[in-house]
Amino acid sequence: MPTYTHLFSSPPPTRDFSALLSAARPFLRGELQTVDPDLPSLTSILCATGVGECYHRKGNVISHLFGVYRILKIWCAPDSVARCGLFHSSYSNSYAPLAIFDAGTSRDYVKSIIGEEAERLVYLFCVVHRHRLIFHDLLVHYTDSELVEHLSASETSVKEAKEKGVFDSSEPWRKKLQGIIPAEGIKVEHIKTGEDVIISRRVMALFLFMTVADFSDQFVDYEDKLFGNEDGRLEFLGDNSTAFWPGTGKPGLWMNQMSRIAALYSLLAIEEEMYIEERKQKGGADKEDGRDEEIELVLPPVFDYCTKLVDPNDQITARDLYWDAIFIKEWEKAEKLLVESCAKNPFVGEPHLVLAQVYLNGKRYEEAEREAEIGLRLLLEWGTSWDKRMTWEGWISWGRVMLGKVKERDWPTSAWGITNLGLVK
């Protein structure tokens, strides 16, 4: 699958494991200036505001802001979008009342720090009711099965357009999407003033893109308890303010809803490309004013490049099988549970890494290598951990240690041997 939505030109190839690791390495090593020369100063400016002292469900605000930034960069987001992720709570937003800067007096200052385009995205991200817009105004129009059907239909549409030059805006998937989010964008209410705000379709797509990064960086079972998410659909129907923070650390049930958002993002990105290409083929302008067509939409690698949905029941089963496996003493039973977990939810890496350790304990090196590589690839693609008892960096280093021992055909058989594992070059 292509990394970018350049459907009518030659897209860059899908990144292999080495390329994924290269993209992650600056974050693993703390070499922030190689990611963005301004990143050290940007993080210093944020830290100077005191956000490191501010509570966030993940721990503190700065760790979440930087976590979202890292995900977006690993997904090859343009700098303006990644910087928006780093500063996405600058003026407070519909999910967090904390305002790092005053939107009434500090917009010029923030522009001078992160750039005009990034600041504009931050401002829009903060002044619209993102939760209502995404969960109540957009996702409510699609069932899981309809999203799957429309993803398949969009693939056929792209093929017809590329091979035969056929563009049909009356196709059901395009017609429905255009009815919900037309080419000229949508009008929403300013969250504080009530004034009208125009959101282009491309910026709306970015909101979806960033929401997947935002949620994946922070959700654990604590949020499930808060919002009564027993069925794994994350529809925010419950209200349990007495849930104890930080929860058990068990992975949260957010993947069904985020796979839905990713699917809708994919449909929007494809519709945008088809709309622009059709206009060009008819002799129209290269760009239309007010549509933000200069913003590149990229397809993140998660959920098989936003083409697959996670069934909510499979998500629950996979998570519970994994949780049972990590607390079991019998390796044979753990293996069976982990194999089933990986089959039920093939989009997270940690079950594969734990399974790799099971195989290493049994000196089954070929199987261990396979699972460690799968698990590492998935973690590198996500840019964050699913099992947040350990950091993303920790899971990556553990997977790489196991791969190194596979190559040596060696694995410790004592507690001291395990604690002395280290490594990595």
Side-chain angles (χ1 to χ4, degrees), residues 237-256:
L237 300 178
D239 184 6
N240 177 22
S241 62
T242 62
F244 289 114
W245 183 81
T248 68
K250 197 174 186 179
L253 300 172
W254 50 268
M255 296 201 82
N256 165 257

Side-chain angles (χ1 to χ4, degrees), residues 236-419:
F236 298 91
L237 300 178
D239 184 6
N240 177 22
S241 62
T242 62
F244 289 114
W245 183 81
T248 68
K250 197 174 186 179
L253 300 172
W254 50 268
M255 296 201 82
N256 165 257
Q257 195 65 282
M258 291 308 105
S259 69
R260 285 168 48 81
I261 292 176
L264 186 54
Y265 170 77
S266 178
L267 291 174
L268 270 174
I270 293 170
E271 168 60 22
E272 274 291 290
E273 289 293 302
M274 296 192 73
Y275 175 85
I276 292 170
E277 185 64 19
E278 183 177 15
R279 184 186 70 219
K280 289 179 180 178
Q281 290 195 10
K282 291 180 178 178
D286 285 343
K287 289 184 179 180
E288 284 183 13
D289 292 339
R291 296 195 68 255
D292 294 305
E293 292 180 7
E294 68 282 356
I295 300 175
E296 186 175 30
L297 300 180
V298 300
L299 285 176
V302 299
F303 305 119
D304 196 6
Y305 289 92
C306 305
T307 63
K308 301 290 193 303
L309 265 64
V310 178
D311 179 86
N313 294 322
D314 286 347
Q315 169 190 225
I316 295 170
T317 300
R319 192 274 308 269
D320 291 347
L321 287 167
Y322 170 77
W323 203 246
D324 289 343
I326 60 178
F327 291 111
I328 206 168
K329 293 183 179 180
E330 297 85 358
W331 291 106
E332 296 81 4
K333 292 181 180 178
E335 177 187 352
K336 182 176 184 296
L337 295 175
L338 290 165
V339 168
E340 292 180 19
S341 175
C342 293
K344 286 289 185 180
N345 184 357
F347 303 111
V348 292
E350 289 88 336
H352 291 278
L353 292 187
V354 179
L355 184 55
Q357 187 182 355
V358 171
Y359 290 143
L360 281 169
N361 286 332
K363 310 299 182 184
R364 295 157 64 180
Y365 296 113
E366 291 80 8
E367 293 158 293
E369 182 175 26
R370 179 192 69 222
E371 296 303 322
E373 287 181 347
I374 294 172
L376 271 172
R377 168 175 275 280
L378 287 164
L379 276 153
L380 289 169
E381 289 178 344
W382 272 105
T384 189
S385 57
W386 170 71
D387 182 347
K388 299 189 189 307
R389 294 175 304 145
M390 179 52 63
T391 63
W392 174 76
E393 296 91 339
W395 279 111
I396 295 294
S397 62
W398 178 240
R400 294 180 72 193
V401 162
M402 288 194 290
L403 270 184
K405 300 305 285 186
V406 162
K407 290 178 170 48
E408 296 172 9
R409 290 298 191 261
D410 180 43
W411 186 249
T413 57
S414 69
W416 284 114
I418 291 291
T419 60

Side-chain angles (χ1 to χ4, degrees), residues 36-336:
D36 180 338
D38 294 330
L39 186 55
S41 64
L42 294 177
T43 54
S44 294
I45 289 168
L46 283 173
C47 288
T49 67
V51 291
E53 303 174 42
C54 296
Y55 163 79
H56 185 276
R57 294 189 303 277
K58 184 181 178 179
N60 63 11
V61 172
I62 188 62
S63 66
H64 173 58
L65 295 177
F66 188 79
V68 172
Y69 175 87
R70 182 183 65 212
I71 294 168
L72 295 173
K73 287 300 291 186
I74 285 175
W75 289 355
C76 298
D79 281 341
S80 62
V81 176
R83 288 184 175 198
C84 175
L86 185 62
F87 280 72
H88 74 263
S89 292
S90 288
Y91 309 128
S92 79
N93 59 57
S94 61
Y95 286 103
L98 171 70
I100 303 171
F101 304 101
D102 183 350
T105 60
S106 301
R107 288 197 62 187
D108 286 341
Y109 173 63
V110 177
K111 287 177 187 177
S112 72
I113 299 169
I114 63 175
E116 186 171 348
E117 180 56 30
E119 190 279 335
R120 185 176 77 93
L121 294 175
V122 169
Y123 178 75
L124 292 173
F125 196 81
C126 289
V127 302
V128 304
H129 201 301
R130 182 164 51 106
H131 182 84
R132 181 193 303 159
L133 181 59
I134 292 175
F135 287 87
H136 297 173
D137 297 341
L138 300 183
L139 287 175
V140 70
H141 294 286
Y142 290 93
T143 63
D144 288 10
S145 60
E146 190 173 24
L147 282 170
V148 171
E149 179 185 337
H150 285 201
L151 285 168
S152 177
S154 70
E155 186 176 344
T156 302
S157 299
V158 170
K159 185 177 180 180
E160 288 287 300
K162 290 179 70 173
E163 295 179 358
K164 302 177 183 178
V166 174
F167 295 87
D168 184 0
S169 61
S170 68
E171 291 180 278
W173 78 267
R174 293 190 67 188
K175 188 174 182 180
K176 178 164 185 171
L177 194 61
Q178 293 159 3
I180 300 169
I181 313 175
E184 62 271 19
I186 55 177
K187 185 185 297 183
V188 299
E189 185 181 85
H190 191 295
I191 197 170
K192 294 175 182 176
T193 68
E195 298 172 335
D196 288 340
V197 178
I198 302 299
I199 303 295
S200 73
R201 188 161 66 180
R202 221 163 175 88
V203 168
M204 186 63 246
L206 286 181
F207 285 177
L208 297 174
F209 177 78
M210 292 180 60
T211 296
V212 178
D214 184 20
F215 277 47
S216 66
D217 177 68
Q218 60 182 299
F219 267 57
V220 293
D221 71 329
Y222 176 63
E223 282 76 20
D224 294 331
K225 297 292 191 300
L226 279 176
F227 298 110
N229 187 34
E230 291 83 4
D231 66 359
R233 291 192 174 276
L234 195 57
E235 296 174 323
F236 298 91
L237 300 178
D239 184 6
N240 177 22
S241 62
T242 62
F244 289 114
W245 183 81
T248 68
K250 197 174 186 179
L253 300 172
W254 50 268
M255 296 201 82
N256 165 257
Q257 195 65 282
M258 291 308 105
S259 69
R260 285 168 48 81
I261 292 176
L264 186 54
Y265 170 77
S266 178
L267 291 174
L268 270 174
I270 293 170
E271 168 60 22
E272 274 291 290
E273 289 293 302
M274 296 192 73
Y275 175 85
I276 292 170
E277 185 64 19
E278 183 177 15
R279 184 186 70 219
K280 289 179 180 178
Q281 290 195 10
K282 291 180 178 178
D286 285 343
K287 289 184 179 180
E288 284 183 13
D289 292 339
R291 296 195 68 255
D292 294 305
E293 292 180 7
E294 68 282 356
I295 300 175
E296 186 175 30
L297 300 180
V298 300
L299 285 176
V302 299
F303 305 119
D304 196 6
Y305 289 92
C306 305
T307 63
K308 301 290 193 303
L309 265 64
V310 178
D311 179 86
N313 294 322
D314 286 347
Q315 169 190 225
I316 295 170
T317 300
R319 192 274 308 269
D320 291 347
L321 287 167
Y322 170 77
W323 203 246
D324 289 343
I326 60 178
F327 291 111
I328 206 168
K329 293 183 179 180
E330 297 85 358
W331 291 106
E332 296 81 4
K333 292 181 180 178
E335 177 187 352
K336 182 176 184 296

